[in-house]
Structure formats: C-alpha cells, structure tokens
Amino acid sequence: MPAIGRGRGAAASGPPRPRRGAALHAGAWWVWALGLGAAASRTSNPLLLGLIVAVAGYVVAVRRTDAPWARSYGAFLRLGLVVLAIRLVFAVFFGSPIPSTRVLFTLPEVPLPGWAQGVRIGGRVTAEGLVFALYEGLRLATLLVCVGAANALASPARLLKSLPGALYEAGVAVVVAMTFAPHLVADVQRLRAARRLRGRPDRGVKALLQVGLPVLEGALERSVALAAAMDARGYGRTAQVPPVVRRTTAALTLGGLLGVCCGTYGLLASEGAGYGLPLLLAGLAAALGGLWLGGRRSVRSRYRPDRWGVRAWLVSGSGAAVAALMIWAASYAPEALNPPAVPLTAPDLPLWPAAGVLLGLLPAFVAPAPAIRHETEEATQ
C-alpha cells in the first residue's frame, strides 16, 4: 500500500500531460514552410539557400513530435541530396547552356545525328557549368527540404480536419498521398530494426531487396484497410443541392484558383508584380466564395475543431514575412540573390536578406513544445 501511494504521488507530481488543444494548427506549419519555399525560389545564392535549410532543420529538430510521419524529414533531406547529385551528373554528361571558359576535364563525346543538333553527350566539363548546375540543384533541394519540414511538423489528420467542406474529398486524397512517404519510411525503419534484432544485415542491396517485399505488402494491406474504412464512413456521399448552386460553386472555385495561380506567378516572377497582388486578392475572394457555397454539399460534422490562435498567427506570419522580404530584396539587389556563374566569383552573403531568413526561426520559440506521446494515443484517451 505505501508503494502504491508513493507511485500515485510520483505520478501526480510529474510533468502535466499536454492538452490536445494546445497543439499548433497544422495549416500554420504549412504556411510557414511554403513561405520558406517561396523565399528559396527567389534566390540561387548558396549561402542564403543553406541558411534556409538550417532554419528549417532547427525548427524541425526542436518542434517535431515522435509520430511516425514526423520522421520523414530525413528522407526529404536525402532526396534533396539525390536531386542535387543528379543535377550535377547531368551537367557533367550533357553539358550546360551557359558560356564558359574554364575547362576542368574532357570526356569522350558521343557522335549524334544531325536532328539532335544542340544536344551533346560528353565533351568539355567546365567550372562555370558545374557551378550553375550546383546553384539550380541546390534551389530545388531546398524546396524539397521545406516540403519535408511541413510533413514532419504538421499532422496530416489534423490538417484534414481543418479543410473546408468543399475540399474534404480532395483533401483526403492529398493527405493519403502525403502520408505515403512517412508511412513507407516508418515501415522500412521498423523492418530494419527487426532484422538487426534477429542478427541479420540491414544494409546493402540484398537487405534492401529483402525489406522491400514486406514494405510493399504492408502498403497494399494499408490501402485495402483504408478503402474499407472510407467506404464504411460514407466517403464520397454528398447532400443534394440545386444545379445553379453547383455550377456557381464550380465557376467561383475554378476561377478563383486560376486567379490565385496567376497572381502568385506575378508576385514570384521578376516582371508582372503590378497585376500580381490585385489578381491574387480577387482570386482568393472568388475561391473563398466558391468554397463557402461548396460546403453546403458536405454532410459531415466536425468534432473538436482546431483553433487558429495567436501562436498560429505568429508561426504563419514568420513564414510569410520571410517570403515577402525575399521578394522585396530581389527587386533591389538581384545580383546578390542570384550570383552569376559567369564570370566565376565567390557568392556574398547579403545581410538584410539573411536577417529576413532568420525570422523563420520564430516558430522554434513561440510554437508549443511537442508532446512526447503518440497522437493516436491521445485520441484513444
């Protein structure tokens, strides 16, 4: 009995369990990550891109949970390195479109027919071409890292709960697609750990082939179970609405999304910034009107919806501020954000854009601390 009393006292004096409502809104993490990605799309400076990757990595390191989908960040990092390596390999074997003078080495060139004029395989490999490929590949790798940060920080299930009713069906498909890679990574890690416990090798081509079949089998079983669960919960069934409402909803939604795409392109491109913001605002208004009308077709209800609080505003605002400052910096210092590969010079770190990127560290201090328990354990309590 005393031992039981001491156990209860120890449990009562331990740290309080985090409340479910204390978690940050999943959409705020995606807005933050997309802001970093938009900033990365406006620069090819490797120092700024490396700083964006460092900011995203630090926030993920201090604010991700122990859920299986939170472990996918490392996979996105490796994918970014693979993309960078592929871009450099293509630059070596297929050349670069920029003029260059510093030849590093020469590969045997494969003769091609006349209709393939302008394309070559092999030949001269120049330093300017490799630097240009490095800049472009690093930008694409940084975009992948930003997407991986959003996948590691935002719970797909909580993000799905926050979608408007008109986007629920499409949101389910997107969430299923987004969770495919994290579940695949979790299955591979679990099977490799099981092989280590059994004294079998978990590295190499042979081990990879032996792990691949159980991973594929688990993915198929998960797909079948998910399809059965979606059908049992009435997925795809909608309420009856007048045809006029359906056509108006489709016109507003499609027109609004087209306006958002065109406005976003105008803001991100070097030209067209004058019409980009008005077109973006008009597209957002039309899309929101279409989503509001389309929500009348949804017959589902929400249980304990996530709230967009002050912390969510701070996190999403930090990502938007990074993107806005980088877009503004690209208008007054384009050479600093996009250093030329010809002539070959070392890139400089512009101070104000770098300080703007550091605003992306705000979620590491204002976002709630991650819960130790798995989210599914919270849902069952």
Side-chain angles (χ1 to χ4, degrees), residues 1-11:
M1 292 300 292
I4 296 178
R6 287 195 299 269
R8 289 179 178 176

Side-chain angles (χ1 to χ4, degrees), residues 149-320:
N151 275 278
L153 293 171
S155 169
R158 298 175 74 93
L159 182 63
L160 182 61
K161 286 178 55 178
S162 306
L163 285 178
L167 296 179
Y168 180 70
E169 296 178 6
V172 171
V174 172
V175 168
V176 170
M178 287 192 308
T179 55
F180 175 77
H183 282 303
L184 207 63
V185 172
D187 289 345
V188 171
Q189 291 178 348
R190 185 173 63 253
L191 289 171
R192 289 182 60 185
R195 291 181 63 87
R196 288 195 298 268
L197 291 175
R198 291 180 174 87
R200 299 177 181 177
D202 62 329
R203 297 182 181 275
V205 179
K206 183 178 179 180
L208 181 62
L209 294 177
Q210 293 178 352
V211 168
L213 185 60
V215 169
L216 179 61
E217 182 181 0
L220 292 176
E221 291 181 355
R222 192 183 304 111
S223 301
V224 173
L226 178 62
M230 291 169 64
D231 183 69
R233 288 168 174 81
Y235 175 75
R237 300 166 191 170
T238 58
Q240 296 294 329
V241 295
V244 177
V245 175
R246 290 201 301 269
R247 288 191 289 268
T248 305
T249 301
L252 287 176
T253 304
L254 294 178
L257 293 179
L258 181 61
V260 169
C261 293
C262 294
T264 304
Y265 176 79
L267 289 177
L268 295 179
S270 56
E271 62 275 352
Y275 68 85
L277 183 59
L279 194 57
L280 177 61
L281 295 178
L284 284 175
L288 291 177
L291 294 178
W292 179 76
L293 286 176
R296 299 173 59 182
R297 299 181 59 192
S298 179
V299 294
R300 72 186 185 97
S301 59
R302 294 184 180 181
Y303 175 68
R304 299 172 66 180
D306 293 336
R307 300 186 180 276
W308 192 283
V310 177
R311 292 182 174 181
W313 281 113
L314 291 174
V315 170
S316 58
S318 66

